[in-house]
Amino acid sequence: MSSFKVFWVAFLMSYRVFFTRVDCKKSLVPAMYVFGDSSVDSGNNNNLNTMAKGNIYPYGIDFNNKSTGRFTNGKTFADLIAVKLGLPLSPPYLGVSEYERYKVVTGINYASGACGILNDTRVGDCLSLDMQVKYFTSTVTNDLPQHFQRKDEVQNHLSKSIYLLSIGSNDYALNYFSSTTYQNKTPIEFADFLLEKLGSKLKELYDLGARKYVVAVAGQLGCSPSKFCEEVKNEKIKPLSDKLPKKLQDLQAQLSGSSFISSNPFNFFNEIKNAPEKYGYRVFFTRVDCKKSLVPAMYVFGDSSVDSGNNNNLNTMAKGNIYPYGIDFNNKSTGRFTNGKTFADLIAVKLGLPLSPPYLGVSEYERYKVVTGINYASGACGILNDTRVVRRN
Ligand SMILES: *[C@@H]1O[C@H](CO)[C@@H](O)[C@H](O)[C@H]1NC(C)=O
Ligand SMILES: *[C@@H]1O[C@H](CO)[C@@H](O)[C@H](O)[C@H]1NC(C)=O
Ligand SMILES: *[C@@H]1O[C@H](CO)[C@@H](O)[C@H](O)[C@H]1NC(C)=O
Ligand SMILES: *[C@@H]1O[C@H](CO)[C@@H](O)[C@H](O)[C@H]1NC(C)=O
C-alpha cells in the first residue's frame, strides 16, 4: 500500500482528501474530462489518419491483453485517477457515436497522441488542444443538455467535475527540437509561449463551466525512449514544468472559484530514476483496480476499535447503535463505536473489499455467502477471557 500512497502524493500533491475518501461504489466527483497527448489518449487516434496509433499489440498487454488505443501496456495516468475517483474510464470522444455521446455523463477523453498545445505540433492527423476544447464545447452545448433537464444542472455538473490535462511533450519533441519555427526562442521564452497558450485554453474551459483542474506538462523527454538521458534536452524542457505552478496560481487568483493542481512528472521521474524500488515501480501501475480487490477477504478480530455491530446482538451496555455514533456514516448508527468508519473499514476500502459484516449480524443460514471477510470484534472485550464489563451470553 505504501507505494500507492507515494505515487499519489507525488503525482497529485495536494488532492489527498480526495483519495482518503475513496469508495468504489460511489464516485467522488460526477465526471472527469481528459485532454492531452499520448500520455492519456484512450483511443481517439484509432479514428484518425495517423501512424501514431496505440491499437496494436503489445500495447495493452497488461490491459487484459487488449490494445485499446492507449499508448501503454496497461492503464494511463488518467485511468488510474478515474479508478481512484470511483469513475469508469473515460471513453475516447471519437470512439463514441455522435448519437450516443449525450449518454456519457461520467467524463470523456479528448486526448490525442502526437498532438500538443500548439496547433502546428503534430505528425499526421491528431486533435490539437484547440480541437479538443472545441469538441468539449460541443459536449457542453449539444450533449449534456440532452441529459440534464435544466441549465443549472449542467453548470453544477461541470463545476464539480475534474479536468485533467497532460500535454506539452510533443511541442518539444515534434516541434521545438525538430523544426525551425521556434528556434529564435530561448527555452524560457518557449516555455512562456506554451504556458500562455495553455492558460488561454484553461480559461476557455473555465468559461464553459470548469473549476477543478489537474495539469501536467512535459516530462523528461531527454530520457525517452532510450535508457540514456540526454540532459541537454532535459534542461531545455525543464522551464515548462518549473514555471507551471506559478502560472496556475495566477490563474486561480484570476478565475474566481477555480482550483488548480499541478502535477510534475519531470520531478517525479527524477525521483523514480534515483530510487525505483522505493516507488515499487514494477507493481503499482498494474495493481490498482477498484473492481478487483487486492486480496480475497479480510477477517477482523478485536474490541470496540473495530467492532462493526456484534455487540448489537449481545446483552451489554456497550453498544454503538445509538446516535450520535455513526453521525458521519450516513448518520446511521450501525454499532460501530465511532462517528464514521473504523480503522478496519478504512483498510477494507483501500483493499477494494466491502466492509466486513458483524458475525452476529448475519443469519446463520446466510453466513456461507459472505466470502469477502467477517468481523468478529466485540466492544468491551479483550485478550483475556475475564476482561469484560457486563456478562455476555
Ligand atoms: C495477447 O494478444 C496477442 C495479439 O493479439 C496474442 O498474440 C497473444 O497470444 C495474446 N497473449 C495472451 C497471453 O493471451
Ligand atoms: C489554431 O487553430 C484554431 C482553430 O482550430 C484557431 O482558432 C487558432 O487561431 C489557431 N491558433 C494558431 C496559433 O494558429
Ligand atoms: C441524524 O439522526 C438523528 C437520530 O436518528 C436525528 O435526530 C438527526 O436529525 C439526524 N440528522 C440528520 C442531519 O439527518
Ligand atoms: C477462555 O475461554 C475458553 C473457552 O471459551 C477456554 O477454552 C480457555 O481456556 C479460557 N482461557 C482462560 C485463560 O480462562
Side-chain angles (χ1 to χ4, degrees):
M1 292 307 293
S2 75
S3 61
F4 296 160
K5 209 159 157 198
V6 170
F7 172 68
W8 292 109
V9 168
F11 251 121
L12 293 165
M13 276 122 87
S14 59
Y15 254 30
R16 261 198 79 227
V17 251
F18 253 64
F19 299 115
T20 52
R21 300 231 328 255
V22 169
D23 181 338
C24 291
K25 272 152 242 126
K26 252 196 10 226
S27 56
L28 301 172
V29 295
M32 181 171 74
Y33 294 94
V34 180
F35 305 82
D37 55 24
S38 61
S39 59
V40 289
D41 185 349
S42 66
N44 282 307
N45 276 22
N46 297 352
N47 307 282
L48 295 175
N49 180 20
T50 173
M51 301 276 287
K53 287 182 197 275
N55 59 356
I56 45 160
Y57 183 79
Y59 285 130
I61 195 169
D62 296 329
F63 196 97
N64 284 330
N65 200 30
K66 248 188 12 221
S67 310
T68 58
R70 287 168 171 81
F71 294 80
T72 162
N73 55 325
K75 292 196 175 71
T76 69
F77 144 54
D79 294 335
L80 294 172
I81 295 181
V83 167
K84 279 280 175 188
L85 293 171
L87 290 170
L89 309 188
S90 310
Y93 184 79
L94 298 180
V96 180
S97 83
E98 200 180 328
Y99 302 105
E100 303 222 288
R101 282 191 191 125
Y102 78 94
K103 293 185 189 166
V104 185
V105 291
T106 52
I108 293 190
N109 185 310
Y110 307 88
S112 173
C115 245
I117 296 171
L118 304 176
N119 283 7
D120 58 359
T121 294
R122 54 178 66 238
V123 281
D125 233 2
C126 64
L127 309 179
S128 64
L129 188 54
D130 280 325
M131 203 58 200
Q132 295 179 30
V133 172
K134 217 168 134 191
Y135 282 147
F136 177 69
T137 307
S138 168
T139 299
V140 172
T141 55
N142 302 323
D143 302 332
L144 290 177
Q146 290 184 56
H147 181 87
F148 294 100
Q149 321 278 314
R150 299 192 320 263
K151 211 166 163 196
D152 64 311
E153 287 177 310
V154 175
Q155 286 308 309
N156 185 47
H157 169 86
L158 292 171
S159 67
K160 289 189 169 142
S161 297
I162 300 279
Y163 300 81
L164 174 74
L165 289 92
S166 171
I167 197 160
S169 293
N170 295 324
D171 295 293
Y172 289 89
L174 306 176
N175 205 334
Y176 192 55
F177 293 150
S178 60
S179 96
T180 54
T181 317
Y182 301 102
Q183 74 183 171
N184 62 330
K185 291 190 192 297
T186 66
I188 291 197
E189 285 165 352
F190 188 64
D192 286 334
F193 181 67
L194 291 178
L195 288 175
E196 187 61 37
K197 175 80 195 276
L198 179 62
S200 79
K201 293 289 130 185
L202 294 172
K203 183 153 184 312
E204 269 181 54
L205 295 178
Y206 178 88
D207 292 338
L208 289 163
R211 292 295 179 270
K212 303 174 177 181
Y213 304 79
V214 179
V215 184
V217 289
Q220 299 202 7
L221 280 181
C223 301
S224 167
S226 101
K227 282 186 197 137
F228 307 101
C229 292
E230 274 187 67
E231 295 305 342
V232 176
K233 256 189 185 175
N234 282 339
E235 279 309 306
K236 289 183 178 163
I237 300 163
K238 196 165 177 292
L240 185 64
S241 47
D242 284 350
K243 284 168 163 275
L244 177 69
K246 171 76 168 60
K247 177 75 189 177
L248 297 182
Q249 263 171 33
D250 291 350
L251 281 169
Q252 188 164 312
Q254 189 190 330
L255 305 174
S256 113
S258 67
S259 121
F260 288 86
I261 288 169
S262 70
S263 133
N264 191 333
F266 195 98
N267 286 348
F268 181 50
F269 187 76
N270 245 355
E271 294 183 34
I272 294 176
K273 232 172 26 180
N274 297 337
E277 331 68 42
K278 186 176 134 201
Y279 290 89
Y281 199 78
R282 275 189 20 245
V283 290
F284 71 66
F285 282 115
T286 53
R287 298 239 325 257
V288 185
D289 186 342
C290 275
K291 273 154 237 124
K292 247 176 39 200
S293 53
L294 301 172
V295 295
M298 181 172 69
Y299 295 93
V300 181
F301 305 84
D303 56 22
S304 60
S305 61
V306 289
D307 185 349
S308 66
N310 283 307
N311 277 21
N312 297 352
N313 307 281
L314 296 174
N315 177 20
T316 171
M317 301 274 287
K319 285 183 198 277
N321 59 355
I322 44 159
Y323 184 81
Y325 285 131
I327 194 168
D328 296 328
F329 196 96
N330 283 329
N331 200 30
K332 244 176 32 204
S333 310
T334 57
R336 286 167 172 80
F337 294 80
T338 162
N339 54 324
K341 292 198 177 70
T342 68
F343 141 57
D345 295 335
L346 293 173
I347 295 179
V349 168
K350 279 279 173 190
L351 293 171
L353 290 169
L355 310 187
S356 310
Y359 183 80
L360 299 180
V362 181
S363 83
E364 198 180 327
Y365 303 104
E366 303 222 289
R367 278 188 197 128
Y368 78 94
K369 293 185 190 165
V370 186
V371 291
T372 50
I374 292 188
N375 185 308
Y376 307 88
S378 174
C381 248
I383 296 171
L384 304 176
N385 283 8
D386 59 359
T387 297
R388 53 182 69 227
V389 282
V390 177
R391 216 185 67 78
R392 52 193 81 238
N393 57 343

